[in-house]
Amino acid sequence: MSTKDLNFYYGESQALYSISLAFEIKQVTALIGPSGCGKSTLLRCLNRMNDLIPYSRAEGGVFLDGEDIYDPSVDVVALRRHVGMVFQKPNPFPKTIFENVAYGLRVNGIKDKTFLRDRVETSLKQAALWDEVKDRLHNSALGLSGGQQQRLCIARALAVEPEVVLMDEPASALDPIATQKIEDLIHELKTTYTIIIVTHNMQQAARVSDVTAFFYLGKLIETGKTESIFTRPRLKETSDYITGRFG
Amino acid sequence: MIGKTDTIQGRRKWLQGTMFGLFRVAALINGMALLLVVYFLVARGWRAINWTFLTQPPMDSMTKGGILPCIVGTLCLSLGAIFIALPIGVASAIYLQEYARPGRVVGMIRLGINNLAGVPSVVFGLFGLAFFVVYLKMGVSILAGSLTLAAMTLPVIIGATEEALRGVPSTYREASLGLGATKWQTIYRVVLPAALPGILTGAILGISRAAGETAPIMFTAAVFYTPSLPTSIFDEVMALPYHIYVLATAGTDIEATRPLQYGTALVLIVLVLGLNLVAIIYRSRLRKNR
C-alpha cells in the first residue's frame, strides 16, 4: 500500500500536504508526531473512513495492489474489507462475543454456520483471545475487560481476512499489561498482515514497528527504518520530537 | 482569616442546602400532582367499576351499563395510530439523522416537524375531518381517527428516535463500516438495535398521547353512542376520552353519571398505563440482553 502526493482538506483547512509514502508488505509501519500533525487523518485516508466527514476531500492517490482507492470506480465497501481498522477506544458492538467477530462475515453475505464458527475461532486465536473466551462466546462482549475488548476488536477486523490492518492508537486506552499483550500481538500479526499503526508512545513505536514515519503540521518530515529513525534521525525536528523536546 | 473563610463556607453551605431544598419541593409537587389525580379518580371512580362496566355497552341513555365499546375503540385508535406513526416516524428520523446532509432542505423538514409538534390538537381534528374524512372519503372511522392521531404523534416519535440515534456512539458506525458493511447494514444491524430502547420510549409517549386525546378524534372517529363493536377499520367507534367529555358536558343526566365519568377516566388511565407497561417491560428486557 502506498500514497502519492496525497493532500487532504477539512473544508478550507488543509490537513495533509503532498504525502508520498510506501508501506512495506508484512511489516509494521508506525506513524508518529505531535497531536494534530495529520497522522490519524492519513490513517483514515487509507480506508476512506474520512469520506464520512462532511466537506472533506482528498487529492492525489492512495494505492492498494496498484489500484487507486480514490478512483470513482472503486467500491468503498469492498475496499474496507481489504483494509481493516482497529480504533483508539475498544468499540465492540453490544452483541455477543461470537456475533462481534462474525459481524464482518455476515454483512458480506456468509451464512454457512460451520464456516462462521471456524473463522470466529481462527480469528480469536490469532488475536490471542480464544483461551479466555472460548467458554463464553455467547455472552455479551461488553462484559470483557478493556484489553480483552480491544483484542476482540482486532479479532473482528481479522475475521474478514484483510490485507492491511490500520491501528489508530490501539493501546492508548489500556493499562500497561493489556498494552503489552497488544504489542506482542502486533508482532505475531505482521507475519500475515501489513500493519500501519498510529501511536503517541515513542517507546511503543520503537518496540513494535519496522518502519517509522514522522509527521509534523500535516507534512511527512522523515521516514526510514525504525532503528535508524530512533538512533540516527537525519533531521533536527525528528530528533527533537523523539527525545521529547517538543510535542 | 480562618474565621472569614468559615462564614463564606457557611453561606455556601446554606445556599446549597436551600437550593437542594427547593429542587426537592419542585420534584415533590410533581409527584403530588400525579398522586392527587390518581387519588381523585380512584376515590370517585372505583365504585363504578365492576364486571358489567367493563364488558357491556352503555344502557338507558348512557346512565347505566358499561363502556366496552369505548375501551375497544380507544385500543383500536391508539394502536392504529402507533402502527402508522412508528414506521413513518422512525424512517423519517433515520433519514434526517443518518442519511440527509445538513442543509436547507433538512432545515425546512426539521422546522416543519417542530411546528407540527406545536399545533393544537383540535386543529389536527379539523385537518383530519377535512382531509381524511371528507377529501379522502374515509368517513368517520377508525382509519381516519388513527391517521389523525398518527399525524399528531409523529413529532414525538421522530424527536425521540432522533435523540436515540444521536445517542448511539459513532464508534459503532465506524467499526461497522470499517468491516465492509454498507450504510444500511450498519443502520439495520448495529445502530437501530442500539437505539431501540430510546425509540420505544418515543412510542410509549406517542401511544399515551394518542390514547388520551379527545379533540383529534372528535370529528374523525368517535361517536356519541354506538352499542356495537367495530368490525372493520371503516367503522366509527366510541372512545374513552370522548365518552368522558360527552358524559360530562352533554349527557342526559350529568350529575347522575359523575361516577361513570370518573370510572371511565380511571379505566383510561389504567389502559394507558397498561400499554406503557408492555413497552417498558420489553425495553428493560432489551437493555438487559446486551
Side-chain angles (χ1 to χ4, degrees):
Chain A
M1 189 164 215
S2 64
T3 69
K4 190 161 186 299
D5 283 330
L6 180 68
N7 292 299
F8 190 84
Y9 305 83
Y10 293 110
E12 292 298 303
S13 72
Q14 189 164 1
L16 292 177
Y17 294 86
S18 189
I19 307 290
S20 294
L21 183 60
F23 304 99
E24 302 290 330
I25 291 173
K26 297 190 183 179
Q27 299 268 290
V28 178
T29 305
L31 311 180
I32 62 168
S35 298
C37 71
K39 55 195 190 304
S40 281
T41 303
L42 174 63
L43 195 76
R44 284 161 167 267
C45 281
L46 301 179
N47 67 346
R48 292 184 57 179
M49 204 49 107
N50 281 335
D51 289 16
L52 302 179
I53 300 164
Y55 309 112
S56 68
R57 76 200 147 87
E59 284 169 2
V62 177
F63 298 90
L64 177 66
D65 304 328
E67 206 182 339
D68 186 356
I69 64 167
Y70 276 94
D71 192 273
S73 69
V74 165
D75 176 6
V76 187
V77 171
L79 162 75
R80 293 192 183 129
R81 212 158 55 218
H82 295 289
V83 185
M85 190 161 203
V86 177
F87 298 84
Q88 186 170 359
K89 275 200 192 135
N91 58 351
F93 301 126
K95 298 174 184 288
T96 64
I97 293 167
F98 185 92
E99 284 306 323
N100 262 280
V101 184
Y103 183 85
L105 300 166
R106 285 202 198 276
V107 295
N108 283 298
I110 291 163
K111 292 200 175 74
D112 186 279
K113 286 222 173 82
T114 340
F115 182 82
L116 282 173
R117 257 206 306 274
D118 289 350
R119 285 279 342 144
V120 168
E121 182 174 340
T122 322
S123 310
L124 284 170
K125 278 179 177 159
Q126 278 185 304
L129 189 61
W130 175 252
D131 289 331
E132 291 161 59
V133 302
K134 64 181 177 215
D135 299 321
R136 47 172 172 154
L137 289 175
H138 298 287
N139 292 4
S140 170
L142 302 184
L144 298 174
S145 73
Q148 287 173 326
Q149 286 189 6
Q150 193 60 307
R151 277 179 284 145
L152 179 69
C153 292
I154 294 174
R156 182 174 68 182
L158 300 180
V160 290
E161 302 186 283
E163 295 167 45
V164 182
V165 180
L166 310 175
M167 297 184 170
D168 192 356
E169 302 183 46
S172 66
L174 305 178
D175 64 64
I177 292 167
T179 302
Q180 173 72 47
K181 281 188 180 163
I182 300 280
E183 288 182 9
D184 292 346
L185 186 54
I186 293 171
H187 266 293
E188 290 291 316
L189 292 177
K190 76 171 182 186
T191 56
T192 323
Y193 304 93
T194 303
I195 294 172
I196 304 166
I197 177 172
V198 164
T199 179
H200 266 122
N201 181 330
M202 289 308 106
Q203 287 79 25
Q204 186 171 69
R207 282 192 300 262
V208 303
S209 70
D210 303 296
V211 177
T212 295
F214 171 61
F215 290 81
Y216 185 55
L217 299 176
K219 296 190 177 88
L220 174 59
I221 305 294
E222 185 169 354
T223 177
K225 288 238 177 293
T226 299
E227 216 181 67
S228 48
I229 290 270
F230 277 89
T231 51
R232 310 178 291 279
R234 288 191 303 274
L235 297 170
K236 190 171 174 303
E237 288 102 317
T238 317
S239 75
D240 281 355
Y241 181 67
I242 59 179
T243 53
R245 257 189 285 267
F246 85 100
Chain B
M1 188 66 198
I2 288 170
K4 196 175 175 192
T5 318
D6 273 353
T7 32
I8 291 172
Q9 287 289 0
R11 271 236 300 284
R12 295 201 309 175
K13 272 193 176 151
W14 179 84
L15 186 65
Q16 155 152 315
T18 318
M19 290 316 286
F20 280 174
L22 282 175
F23 295 147
R24 187 171 293 138
V25 168
L28 278 175
I29 289 173
N30 255 306
M32 288 298 286
L34 179 70
L35 275 180
L36 265 176
V37 169
V38 173
Y39 170 76
F40 265 93
L41 287 183
V42 172
R44 305 199 172 180
W46 74 273
R47 257 178 256 274
I49 292 176
N50 52 47
W51 191 242
T52 316
F53 191 65
L54 297 176
T55 57
Q56 294 296 321
M59 282 173 258
D60 290 348
S61 306
M62 299 202 288
T63 54
K64 290 206 174 67
I67 52 165
L68 181 66
C70 311
I71 298 175
V72 174
T74 287
L75 271 176
C76 289
L77 285 170
S78 41
L79 289 177
I82 211 71
F83 276 119
I84 297 162
L86 198 59
I88 298 176
V90 171
S92 313
I94 290 175
Y95 171 73
L96 289 172
Q97 200 60 41
E98 306 284 332
Y99 282 98
R101 289 222 156 187
R104 193 174 289 175
V105 181
V106 171
M108 295 278 278
I109 296 176
R110 278 241 163 72
L111 193 70
I113 293 167
N114 288 339
N115 279 315
L116 205 61
V119 173
S121 54
V122 67
V123 176
F124 276 105
L126 288 170
F127 160 76
L129 173 67
F131 188 65
F132 297 124
V133 176
V134 178
Y135 185 72
L136 294 181
K137 298 193 176 66
M138 289 175 188
V140 173
S141 62
I142 293 176
L143 184 61
S146 294
L147 284 166
T148 309
L149 287 172
M152 194 193 69
T153 47
L154 263 178
V156 178
I157 290 171
I158 293 174
T161 306
E162 277 204 87
E163 198 57 50
L165 292 174
R166 264 197 295 274
V168 177
S170 60
T171 56
Y172 287 0
R173 294 181 182 85
E174 288 183 340
S176 172
L177 294 170
L179 289 164
T182 62
K183 198 162 186 176
W184 168 239
Q185 286 176 321
T186 300
I187 290 169
Y188 181 73
R189 288 169 180 258
V190 178
V191 178
L192 273 185
L196 203 52
I199 296 173
L200 274 175
T201 305
I204 294 171
L205 290 173
I207 209 167
S208 308
R209 232 194 123 185
E213 280 289 348
T214 314
I217 56 171
M218 219 148 80
F219 321 118
T220 57
V223 288
F224 193 79
Y225 174 71
T226 169
S228 56
L229 297 180
T231 52
S232 90
I233 54 168
F234 297 105
D235 283 355
E236 50 189 28
V237 287
M238 293 182 79
L240 291 166
Y242 186 57
H243 188 61
I244 298 170
Y245 171 74
V246 163
L247 286 184
T249 59
T252 41
D253 190 344
I254 293 170
E255 281 312 314
T257 55
R258 282 280 185 236
L260 290 185
Q261 296 162 24
Y262 281 108
T264 310
L266 189 57
V267 170
L268 176 58
I269 287 241
V270 171
L271 192 80
V272 169
L273 234 64
L275 289 173
N276 287 357
L277 210 62
V278 173
I280 289 168
I281 289 168
Y282 182 61
R283 185 178 64 186
S284 69
R285 206 180 274 170
L286 277 179
R287 284 193 175 141
K288 226 179 280 168
N289 277 349
R290 49 181 55 180

